[in-house]
Amino acid sequence: MVEPVGNHYIVARPVYSENLFNEEHEKLSQLSRAVHRQSSVLLCLYSCSPQRVKKIALGLFPIVSWLPAYRFREWILSDIVSGINTGLVAVLQGLAFALLVNVPPGYGLYAAFFPVLVYFIFGTSRHISVGPFPVLSLMVGGAVVRLVPDDSAGNGTSTNISAINEERVLVAASVTFLSGVFQLLLGILQFGFIVIYLSQSLISGFTTAAAIHVVVSQLKFMLQLPVPGFNKPFGIIYTLESVFSQITKTNIADLVTSIVVLLIVFVVKEMNDRYKAKLPTPIPIELLVTVLAALISYFINFEEKFNVAVLSFFSFRFQAPVAPDVGVLRKCIGDSISIAIVGFAVAFSVAKVYSIKHDYPVDGNQELIAFGLSNIVGGSFKGFASSTALSRSGVQESTGGKTQIAGLISAVIVLIVILAIGFLLAPLQKSVLASLALGNLKGMLMQFKEVGILWRKDKYDCVTLWKSHLLCKLAYRLSFFLTCLTSLNGKYNSGMVFLLVYPLLLFSILSNIYRNKKDYTDIYEPEGVKIFRCSSPIFFANIEFFREKLITVGFNPLRVLRKRNKALRKIRKMLKKGELQVTPKGLICMANYTHESDEELDNNRIEELDQPTNMTDLPIQINWGADLPPGIIVPQVNIHSIILDFSSVSFLDFSAMRILQKTLKEFVRINIDIYIAGGFLDKLERCAFFDEEIKPSMFFLTIHDAVLHILLKKDIASSPKLKLAEVTLQFSSFATLVPLHYSQAPSSALHS
């Protein structure tokens, strides 16, 4: 038996030229591989089978596939409860975010109603709540103020104010309509991948800067000061200057109301976050504050006694659809493109989070089509741009929403307010709505904590993506982003220019001879080991592609982990009921197993399923490769080790690093060993990449070092397929392991 001695090895093999190696091991010609790929592509593109037509139809109208499979008895109650809670929040946010658009609050309800109906038919996410989003509202408001500025003559008559409001409503609707057209075109042209060019650091910087703009823009409502709009570079400075120059004219009643509402909202939201595992549903603080504030304002008569600004009575009714103003469309093309891309990026990011959590797919191209149609319809009915608000989507998901039915129920709640009970909100102070808008920015403002982290780990990203966001005009940021992306490309690696055209990783599954598996027919691949090679920089634009390729080992590690944790829940429950008994041979079922759905077992605590399996409280350790009790099915895992060859990776950025860490943990938690050849050990240590699950010991100098470590680590006696002698025999023509105690190695041996 030939084996390495200690921690040394010597490799002996024939000296190969490239041609000799290819001939001996039957390398496939480039022409045959190209013909096979082209034939597959042409077959997919030009085949017109009934199955393909059905697939296209189901893709364009997702409701056709998910609605017939709706579990009415199990889900309808959860969707109704979730829809009611989400609808109440949508009403308040629609009214509040209309102030950011500089239109009468009632038009915010149109933005919270029509897009939801369209998304119900065309959307693919089951958990996001479609409607106004503060960042988009501020961007639309910027275009509105630029095209319809405040009355500079000071003629604050009701007739003049009404005319200005009507013009602003038409501008907001036109901008929204055009942004919807851009989104629809991008979806039809399959540009859903565009969101990958927005890194997590960039999105965090953008939304946090936008949150600061929102705070400044709402000061005039909280203090009730006549502050004009400054839609130009450094406009935030001019706004603050105008506010502080009039600070002595502050309405004390509005100021006190704003401070009280903000304190209450922030405290209760913090309680909702901290005790979300114990609360059956988040406390609907926005609703409670709104009802209480409206009642107090009505009975004390704040409008007359303290001269506060209130919503007043305005007609809640549906209006006939209007055509967009062509003149406005020509002037707001840049604004509309920015709104289209930012709105889609935010919505798709949130949808992706929930799709991973609840294990279902979302289609980026279809999402573009859904939001495009939503904004086209919303703009036609005098609404403004829609995306998804993080807090509102959190309410829909945390209160038990299962499908888009919850969104439909929320639209019904908005409809009731529009047609029946909207007049009850007439005494509500505008300062309350402004405070509620700021209260919903808590998550965005808390992202300021990431500045220090980014500074320590990637100073270039931190400076570039944060410095100008606070001061630059919001509508021009998109071009700034693209400029930053180009500069990052030049900084990181010139090879990334190609990746900016299409994010392609040069990814290969290798055999133990460390060649591309797809290029050869005469190969050997050791059982239980997969080797992946990445030959390009890994950064925010291609890390998702990297992840998708990595889980092509035959299973999704996160899905396997959740199945195992669900199985452990069932086993604990069966042991408690006496349905399972522990014997020397394992677990024996003592009764007929009663099937229970996963929904009942999950109990809306899906996060627990993503934690490592814990069997310390069980009387026996579960062998996932053996037979399990009846009714418990867990996917089989047929590999034990994965080697990632990062020797050719020239760059790894912070956004990619976080996703890589999360992906590796998913494999480690299902007992798959991860090894990395090459890589950025020093940088990863500096960025706090390692913890109890991801350790520096997984790094090896070369692929061969990692392979030998795996072979020596496994119990050779109990695993015949991993016997080193057999491995040596199988690929002796490629690499022979020579004992270190040989007096002389073969003359043709290559020593290492």
Side-chain angles (χ1 to χ4, degrees):
M1 177 175 176
V2 182
E3 61 181 7
V5 177
N7 59 352
H8 296 77
Y9 69 84
I10 299 176
V11 177
R13 62 167 177 80
V15 176
Y16 282 110
S17 67
E18 190 70 27
N19 290 335
L20 179 61
F21 184 87
N22 293 340
E23 289 175 5
E24 183 169 336
H25 302 291
E26 302 178 15
K27 182 177 182 180
L28 296 174
S29 66
Q30 186 175 0
L31 178 62
S32 63
R33 297 198 307 271
V35 169
H36 177 72
R37 286 197 300 266
Q38 289 292 341
S39 61
S40 301
V41 171
L42 291 174
L43 185 63
C44 293
L45 287 178
Y46 297 106
S47 61
C48 189
S49 63
Q51 291 80 6
R52 179 169 174 76
V53 173
K54 180 180 178 181
K55 182 179 179 181
I56 293 174
L58 291 177
L60 189 58
F61 298 95
I63 188 174
V64 178
S65 61
W66 67 261
L67 190 58
Y70 186 79
R71 302 185 204 171
F72 188 85
R73 292 184 178 179
E74 296 180 35
W75 291 349
I76 188 61
L77 183 59
S78 297
D79 278 337
I80 290 175
V81 172
S82 174
I84 293 173
N85 282 277
T86 307
L88 294 173
V89 175
V91 168
L92 303 177
Q93 290 187 350
L95 296 171
F97 297 158
L99 299 180
L100 301 175
V101 187
N102 296 288
V103 297
Y107 289 94
L109 298 181
Y110 302 146
F113 176 73
F114 290 106
V116 178
L117 300 181
V118 178
Y119 190 86
F120 174 76
I121 299 173
F122 295 97
T124 60
S125 175
R126 304 175 190 172
H127 295 92
I128 65 171
S129 174
V130 179
F133 179 57
V135 175
L136 286 191
S137 300
L138 187 65
M139 295 174 75
V140 176
V144 167
V145 172
R146 188 182 78 246
L147 297 180
V148 187
D150 292 322
D151 184 17
S152 58
N155 299 323
T157 63
S158 59
T159 303
N160 194 42
I161 293 175
S162 178
I164 291 177
N165 285 338
E166 295 225 353
E167 288 184 51
R168 288 183 168 180
V169 167
L170 184 58
V171 170
S174 300
V175 172
T176 299
F177 183 92
L178 187 56
S179 68
V181 170
F182 283 127
Q183 288 176 326
L184 181 61
L185 290 177
L186 289 173
I188 293 174
L189 297 176
Q190 304 289 289
F191 269 78
F193 66 87
I194 195 171
V195 72
I196 67 175
Y197 298 124
L198 305 179
S199 69
Q200 183 60 43
S201 301
L202 186 147
I203 293 176
S204 297
F206 178 84
T207 53
T208 305
I212 294 174
H213 279 264
V214 172
V215 171
V216 173
S217 70
Q218 295 303 285
L219 289 177
K220 64 180 181 180
F221 297 108
M222 299 172 68
L223 307 177
Q224 200 183 332
L225 297 174
V227 179
F230 297 97
N231 191 256
K232 55 185 177 181
F234 302 98
I236 189 173
I237 303 298
Y238 294 107
T239 302
L240 289 173
E241 180 187 11
S242 178
V243 168
F244 286 112
S245 66
Q246 306 177 66
I247 198 70
T248 56
K249 301 177 184 178
T250 299
N251 186 303
I252 302 301
D254 273 324
L255 175 61
V256 172
T257 301
S258 300
I259 294 174
V260 171
V261 170
L262 273 177
L263 286 175
I264 294 174
V265 170
F266 274 122
V267 169
V268 176
K269 281 185 175 289
E270 183 65 28
M271 291 174 58
N272 283 339
D273 290 339
R274 185 167 299 183
Y275 301 106
K276 62 181 179 181
K278 299 180 180 179
L279 293 172
T281 181
I283 301 172
I285 187 59
E286 292 96 340
L287 175 64
L288 297 177
V289 166
T290 302
V291 172
L292 186 61
L295 290 174
I296 293 175
S297 176
Y298 175 76
F299 286 108
I300 300 181
N301 200 1
F302 273 10
E303 184 178 14
E304 292 185 6
K305 286 188 177 181
F306 303 106
N307 195 30
V308 299
V310 298
L311 297 184
S312 301
F313 177 78
F314 48 90
S315 176
F316 284 96
R317 61 182 178 82
F318 288 115
Q319 302 184 22
V322 295
D325 189 316
V326 178
V328 172
L329 296 181
R330 287 198 299 264
K331 297 177 183 177
C332 61
I333 294 177
D335 301 273
S336 298
I337 294 176
S338 301
I339 291 167
I341 294 179
V342 172
F344 167 67
V346 171
F348 187 74
S349 299
V350 177
K352 197 75 179 291
V353 169
Y354 289 125
S355 73
I356 293 173
K357 180 178 179 180
H358 294 275
D359 195 16
Y360 64 86
V362 289
D363 185 344
N365 296 314
Q366 183 60 29
E367 288 294 288
L368 270 171
I369 292 174
F371 278 103
L373 293 173
S374 296
N375 282 320
I376 289 173
V377 174
S380 299
F381 284 92
K382 298 186 177 180
F384 49 84
S386 65
S387 178
T388 182
L390 309 182
S391 58
R392 193 170 62 247
S393 294
V395 169
Q396 179 166 319
E397 191 267 345
S398 62
T399 52
K402 305 297 182 186
T403 66
Q404 293 94 318
I405 295 289
L408 185 64
I409 301 297
S410 71
V412 173
I413 300 299
V414 178
L415 177 65
I416 293 173
V417 173
I418 292 175
L419 298 180
I421 62 175
F423 68 93
L424 297 176
L425 298 174
L428 185 65
Q429 296 169 247
K430 288 186 178 181
S431 59
V432 173
L433 292 180
S435 301
L436 291 178
L438 299 191
N440 283 285
L441 301 176
K442 173 177 172 290
M444 297 184 196
L445 294 173
M446 293 302 290
Q447 291 176 145
F448 258 115
K449 295 186 297 185
E450 295 185 11
V451 176
I453 299 174
L454 275 176
W455 178 255
R456 291 193 301 271
K457 300 178 180 179
D458 200 329
K459 294 181 175 61
Y460 189 91
D461 265 353
C462 183
V463 172
T464 304
L465 298 178
W466 284 84
K467 64 178 181 180
S468 296
H469 287 347
L470 299 178
L471 303 176
C472 290
K473 182 179 176 183
L474 200 65
Y476 295 152
R477 287 196 185 136
L478 184 62
S479 59
F480 177 71
F481 287 167
L482 298 178
T483 303
C484 290
L485 199 59
T486 305
S487 65
L488 292 177
N489 171 49
K491 171 180 179 285
Y492 294 155
N493 193 292
S494 59
M496 288 170 61
V497 174
F498 173 73
L499 293 177
L500 290 176
V501 178
Y502 184 77
L504 176 64
L505 277 172
L506 302 177
F507 220 109
S508 306
I509 302 178
L510 305 180
S511 66
N512 260 68
I513 57 173
Y514 319 125
R515 288 287 183 133
N516 194 324
K517 182 180 178 181
K518 296 180 180 179
D519 291 344
Y520 296 88
T521 57
D522 182 20
I523 62 171
Y524 168 77
E525 186 175 10
E527 187 172 343
V529 180
K530 294 288 184 182
I531 307 174
F532 290 81
R533 170 175 291 163
C534 178
S535 304
S536 71
I538 304 177
F539 63 119
F540 63 87
N542 62 13
I543 184 60
E544 286 297 336
F545 188 78
F546 175 94
R547 174 185 167 84
E548 290 174 6
K549 288 297 180 182
L550 191 57
I551 64 177
T552 57
V553 293
F555 57 87
N556 185 324
L558 183 59
R559 188 172 298 165
V560 173
L561 178 62
R562 289 177 175 177
K563 288 287 187 181
R564 289 184 178 181
N565 276 317
K566 288 178 182 180
L568 289 176
R569 287 185 180 185
K570 294 180 182 179
I571 290 173
R572 291 187 181 97
K573 194 171 183 179
M574 294 174 72
L575 286 170
K576 188 176 181 180
K577 291 182 177 180
E579 297 175 354
L580 284 179
Q581 184 175 346
V582 180
T583 68
K585 295 183 179 181
L587 295 172
I588 296 179
C589 187
M590 305 300 294
N592 293 328
Y593 176 71
T594 303
H595 175 74
E596 295 183 15
S597 69
D598 289 340
E599 295 295 334
E600 295 170 345
L601 288 169
D602 285 350
N603 197 28
N604 290 321
R605 293 155 60 187
I606 295 178
E607 292 86 352
E608 296 180 7
L609 299 178
D610 297 342
Q611 301 305 312
T613 54
N614 184 3
M615 305 183 196
T616 55
D617 60 328
L618 294 178
I620 188 174
Q621 294 296 302
I622 306 298
N623 180 3
W624 300 111
D627 292 336
L628 297 173
I632 298 178
I633 301 175
V634 175
Q636 292 293 315
V637 176
N638 55 5
I639 66 172
H640 54 73
S641 302
I642 292 177
I643 301 174
L644 302 177
D645 180 11
F646 283 177
S647 57
S648 300
V649 177
S650 59
F651 177 76
L652 177 69
D653 78 351
F654 183 57
S655 297
M657 199 181 301
R658 288 194 283 195
I659 297 179
L660 176 64
Q661 182 190 51
K662 179 182 177 182
T663 303
L664 297 186
K665 282 187 176 183
E666 292 173 1
F667 283 102
V668 169
R669 288 173 179 178
I670 59 173
N671 303 320
I672 293 180
D673 296 327
I674 300 292
Y675 303 95
I676 299 176
F680 306 87
L681 184 57
D682 293 339
K683 181 176 181 179
L684 295 178
E685 287 179 337
R686 188 170 62 253
C687 294
F689 181 81
F690 301 107
D691 55 22
E692 295 181 355
E693 295 176 285
I694 308 297
K695 302 178 180 179
S697 59
M698 66 172 53
F699 279 78
F700 285 80
L701 190 62
T702 66
I703 299 176
H704 199 59
D705 290 301
V707 170
L708 291 179
H709 176 79
I710 293 170
L711 298 179
L712 292 173
K713 181 180 178 181
K714 296 301 172 183
D715 186 359
I716 297 176
S718 62
S719 302
K721 292 182 180 179
L722 289 174
K723 282 185 179 179
L724 195 56
E726 182 177 341
V727 173
T728 303
L729 179 63
Q730 291 284 352
F731 55 90
S732 59
S733 57
F734 308 125
T736 304
L737 298 178
V738 181
L740 189 64
H741 60 266
Y742 272 14
S743 59
Q744 183 178 1
S747 58
S748 60
L750 299 178
H751 297 266
S752 59

